[in-house]
Amino acid sequence: MMIATPTSPEIAVGARGIEKVYVTGDTRVTALRGADLEVRSGELVMLVGPSGCGKTSLISIIAGLLRRDSGELAVLGQDPQALTNEQRTSWRLRHIGFVFQQFNLIPTLSIAENVAIPLILQGTDRRTACQRAKEALAEVGLEGRESSGPNLLSGGQQQRVAIARALVNGPSVLVCDEPTSALDGHTGLRIMELVARVGRRPGRAAIIVTHDERIFHLADHIVHMDDGRVDRIERPPSRTHHVAT
Amino acid sequence: MPIFALKMLFGDSARFYGMLLGLAFSTLLISQQASIFVGLMTRTFGFITDTQQPDLWIADPVQRFLDDNKPLRSTAVQRIRSIEGIDWAVPLYKGLLSVALPDGKRQMSQVIGIDDASLIGGPATMLEGSLTDLRKPDAIIVDVRATKREFRLTNPPEGGPPRDLRVGDSMELNDRRAEVVGICRATQTFQSQPVIYTTYNRAIGFAPRERRMVTMVLAGLTAGADEHQVVADIDERTGLAAYTGPEFEEKTVGYWMSETGIPINFGTAILLGFFVGIAVAGQMFYNFVLDNLKYFGAMKAMGASRRTLLGMVVLQASTVAFLGFGIGIGLTSAFGISLPEGRLAFRMVWQIPLMAACAVTVICALSAALGLWRVIRLDPADVFQGT
């Protein structure tokens, strides 16, 4: 995979030379030492590597949650760091979908209400938001369970709800942080197949941080990171076969 | 998001009911203790409240409060009458005398002697008989509360079961005969002694003889008189202190506030209520916010603005404060209503619910502020770290 200029229109995410150092008192921990990444629209990219190699820091910077120290970044043609806090919050709401490792579903809300949160934050009225949430839940195979509480669902079902929540407002970039780490192998694979199906669409890019080698075949590109840098990028040889099945 | 914020609050039922209980108990403690305190303080000047006719209450300047009797010479009445702006002035006797009931029981009682001619200073509410009945020989009027309690006859002279004292019964005041001609309603005194009204001259006949028998002088102003000027003239020409009713009430309450431990006792209980609120409800609300911090973080990551999240926390705090306060003030009211009349001083003036509401607001604002601080400082990137 070639690293294009970050602002090319077909590039959903273009990062070059990203550096990040965490400073706590006298302690300085370098998380990223010039990381480069490019994800095109319609692509699903997996970030892999040992713990502490900078994967989470990189996606946090891409998603506009964390500030970089140096380097260039364009996400959908926009450098999130150039925006004010309020603008960045609004930008995230419109363009980025998140799937967290721990699901983070609010247990006192129904799953439809959980899914509706991004829409309501955008200003959609509650009834419309819940209706669209139901449609999103149907897309991830949870039709008829809309009024259930998250705690009544299995881990795999909860992650499906989280995926529906991430996609309900049609984000252009989907960011997933180890979405299968809290799930057993079989469920994790099913979830990733779901992410690959709904996340990889024209005009949408998906970046997935994972350690799970069993799902590598679902990626368009696998980006190996080590010591704060992108070490190598490879295309899984059997991707076409697995996705087809 | 308001509905979602409320669902988050109500959905955590154990913590929600805990917060409600804490705030309701705090409100109950604050408002109930404050109401009893106000009730007690009201009793200290109950006689002033009951006696509406005088514009001025004239007493020895060293008298510190209503019941701190410092008798005046009988000439004080004439001297007051001679001051410009005074329309009328009458003597008042007020003292504790021993009462012997027909069944042989003895009871110290507050005897109030009012002007024989005008009957100024008499009770505001007559339940049986008439104030003018005081002009009958040996006549006294008794407070209704005393007829049912301290003056209740366990062995009535005519025989039969115990009964309340009633009009027509006789008793002895300081070994002199007195006859009940009327029943009135008087505000209970601080020391809760029975109240007996009679005329001034009869009262000083009942009382042990002293050189000075006038407890106070009650006076009315002529129409258009300058109250402050009259007060100043009384001070200058007689050396006596004159107060309006509200001033005398304030002076009396001021004494009890500054010279007794009562405000400290009640203040401690009220503070305790406040701290119970902070310790129980405040801490519980803070923990509620902490427990939900990961969800707030997720929402912040998804694009919830700081204002949205703060609004959610403020709404949650306000809701629990409003409900807890409502339950607490309702319990206090029920407590006040359920009390037998006169058993316990209880007076909930409008300032008390306001004070309790302020206390609950402070409790919730403090705990919410701590929660808000955590939400403001919340780094949405943390949710990617699994924290």
Side-chain angles (χ1 to χ4, degrees):
Chain A
M1 186 173 63
M2 296 293 291
I3 301 296
T5 56
T7 52
S8 299
E10 72 276 16
I11 309 291
V13 177
R16 183 179 292 166
I18 303 292
E19 295 190 353
K20 176 68 184 174
V21 178
Y22 294 101
V23 180
T24 310
D26 295 336
T27 311
R28 291 169 60 86
V29 177
T30 303
L32 294 170
R33 306 168 188 271
D36 301 322
L37 179 70
E38 181 190 292
V39 184
R40 293 172 185 272
S41 284
E43 275 189 343
L44 190 153
V45 170
M46 289 187 187
L47 280 182
V48 302
S51 294
C53 70
K55 306 183 294 290
T56 299
S57 294
L58 184 56
I59 60 164
S60 296
I61 288 169
I62 290 168
L65 299 174
L66 199 62
R67 297 178 72 82
R68 65 185 185 275
D69 295 326
S70 62
E72 291 177 57
L73 175 67
V75 181
L76 307 169
Q78 174 70 53
D79 178 0
Q81 199 156 308
L83 302 171
T84 63
N85 279 338
E86 289 75 20
Q87 288 170 334
R88 194 162 50 248
T89 299
S90 171
W91 173 84
R92 267 205 313 268
L93 182 58
R94 282 180 284 119
H95 298 298
I96 312 288
F98 293 92
V99 177
F100 307 105
Q101 187 177 345
Q102 298 297 328
F103 319 143
N104 289 323
L105 301 175
I106 300 172
T108 51
L109 302 183
S110 70
I111 60 171
E113 288 168 333
N114 269 285
V115 173
I117 287 174
L119 295 171
I120 289 173
L121 289 173
Q122 278 185 334
T124 309
D125 68 88
R126 190 162 168 267
R127 183 175 293 183
T128 309
C130 284
Q131 184 53 44
R132 283 178 57 188
K134 283 179 186 176
E135 292 163 13
L137 283 168
E139 197 172 357
V140 297
L142 287 172
E143 201 167 11
R145 302 294 300 271
E146 297 87 354
S147 55
S148 302
N151 290 342
L152 297 175
L153 304 181
S154 67
Q157 288 172 320
Q158 288 190 45
Q159 195 58 296
R160 284 169 186 269
V161 176
I163 291 164
R165 181 179 63 185
L167 298 174
V168 71
N169 57 343
S172 302
V173 176
L174 179 64
V175 177
C176 308
D177 182 38
E178 306 205 27
T180 61
S181 66
L183 305 174
D184 65 78
H186 176 71
T187 309
L189 184 59
R190 298 292 301 273
I191 287 293
M192 279 315 300
E193 284 171 350
L194 173 67
V195 171
R197 178 166 63 79
V198 299
R200 185 196 286 116
R201 291 210 172 150
R204 176 179 293 160
I207 306 172
I208 297 164
V209 168
T210 186
H211 284 103
D212 191 350
E213 291 182 16
R214 289 167 302 182
I215 62 172
F216 283 0
H217 63 276
L218 296 168
D220 292 308
H221 298 286
I222 299 170
V223 177
H224 291 267
M225 290 188 69
D226 192 21
D227 197 23
R229 294 188 186 90
V230 171
D231 187 42
R232 66 182 193 281
I233 299 168
E234 59 187 23
R235 186 176 174 85
S238 54
R239 191 192 78 77
T240 308
H241 167 74
H242 280 282
V243 171
T245 57
Chain B
M1 297 304 281
I3 292 175
F4 288 179
L6 293 179
K7 281 193 166 189
M8 287 170 77
L9 177 68
F10 299 145
D12 190 350
S13 53
R15 195 161 277 152
F16 172 64
Y17 288 120
M19 285 187 276
L20 272 194
L21 196 68
L23 286 174
F25 182 68
S26 180
T27 305
L28 173 68
L29 207 54
I30 291 170
S31 57
Q32 188 242 29
Q33 290 295 304
S35 296
I36 293 174
F37 175 71
V38 170
L40 279 178
M41 289 299 104
T42 303
R43 286 183 178 186
T44 64
F45 58 77
F47 177 62
I48 303 173
T49 314
D50 285 352
T51 312
Q52 291 295 319
Q53 302 99 323
D55 296 314
L56 293 177
W57 295 69
I58 297 143
D60 190 303
V62 296
Q63 183 167 339
R64 293 168 299 171
F65 58 101
L66 177 67
D67 293 331
D68 182 29
N69 293 348
K70 300 282 192 291
L72 312 173
R73 293 169 193 269
S74 57
T75 54
V77 180
Q78 282 73 36
R79 295 173 70 193
I80 297 297
R81 283 175 182 156
S82 69
I83 290 171
E84 193 177 344
I86 293 291
D87 187 24
W88 52 263
V90 294
L92 180 85
Y93 172 82
K94 191 165 166 293
L96 282 177
L97 296 179
S98 172
V99 170
L101 294 167
D103 62 357
K105 205 163 54 182
R106 287 191 168 272
Q107 171 69 48
M108 290 303 286
S109 302
Q110 178 96 260
V111 176
I112 296 164
I114 61 175
D115 182 48
D116 295 53
S118 64
L119 298 179
I120 286 173
T125 309
M126 288 297 299
L127 300 176
E128 280 185 61
S130 153
L131 193 57
T132 53
D133 289 340
L134 279 183
R135 296 203 171 100
K136 293 176 183 173
D138 301 333
I140 58 169
I141 291 172
V142 180
D143 173 36
V144 65
R145 205 172 293 109
T147 65
K148 299 173 191 300
R149 287 161 54 180
E150 295 89 347
F151 290 167
R152 184 173 165 79
L153 302 177
T154 46
N155 297 303
E158 72 277 11
R163 65 168 173 83
D164 296 346
L165 190 77
R166 62 192 177 204
V167 172
D169 284 334
S170 61
M171 57 173 66
E172 287 180 5
L173 270 78
N174 224 7
D175 297 330
R176 290 194 54 187
R177 184 181 178 280
E179 185 180 335
V180 180
V181 297
I183 309 288
C184 69
R185 185 185 300 284
T187 301
Q188 198 161 354
T189 62
F190 181 71
Q191 290 153 313
S192 294
Q193 294 108 344
V195 178
I196 296 172
Y197 284 90
T198 187
T199 58
Y200 174 77
N201 281 309
R202 196 173 296 127
I204 61 174
F206 290 142
R209 192 68 197 161
E210 292 180 43
R211 203 157 64 87
R212 299 175 177 217
M213 296 299 284
V214 177
T215 309
M216 271 174 278
V217 177
L218 309 182
L221 297 173
T222 55
D226 181 351
E227 185 180 274
H228 298 291
Q229 185 58 50
V230 175
V231 168
D233 288 347
I234 290 172
D235 177 37
E236 187 184 329
R237 291 176 54 188
T238 68
L240 298 175
Y243 312 98
T244 61
E247 285 172 351
F248 203 25
E249 288 177 0
E250 198 175 316
K251 184 177 175 68
T252 298
V253 170
Y255 167 80
W256 290 100
M257 293 286 281
S258 62
E259 301 297 326
T260 71
I262 294 173
I264 295 172
N265 290 340
F266 281 94
T268 305
I270 290 167
L271 266 182
L272 198 63
F274 182 72
F275 287 124
V276 163
I278 287 189
V280 178
Q283 193 195 19
M284 234 174 229
F285 186 79
Y286 180 60
N287 285 340
F288 167 78
V289 174
L290 287 191
D291 279 0
N292 283 295
L293 214 50
K294 59 184 174 184
Y295 307 123
F296 288 126
M299 284 191 269
K300 201 168 185 175
M302 282 188 269
S305 67
R306 185 180 287 183
R307 201 169 70 174
T308 301
L309 297 179
L310 297 188
M312 290 175 75
V313 175
V314 168
L315 176 66
Q316 289 164 338
S318 311
T319 303
V320 80
F322 181 75
L323 293 176
F325 167 75
I327 292 169
I329 214 75
L331 288 174
T332 304
S333 304
F335 171 82
I337 291 166
S338 66
L339 283 177
E341 191 188 351
R343 185 64 67 189
L344 186 65
F346 184 92
R347 186 174 176 221
M348 187 155 62
V349 292
W350 64 268
Q351 290 92 341
I352 290 174
L354 185 67
M355 179 183 75
C358 289
V360 167
T361 304
V362 168
I363 291 167
C364 288
L366 281 178
S367 47
L370 289 174
L372 289 171
W373 178 244
R374 295 296 300 262
V375 172
I376 289 169
R377 289 178 57 89
L378 186 62
D379 187 347
D382 285 348
V383 293
F384 270 154
Q385 317 294 335
T387 53

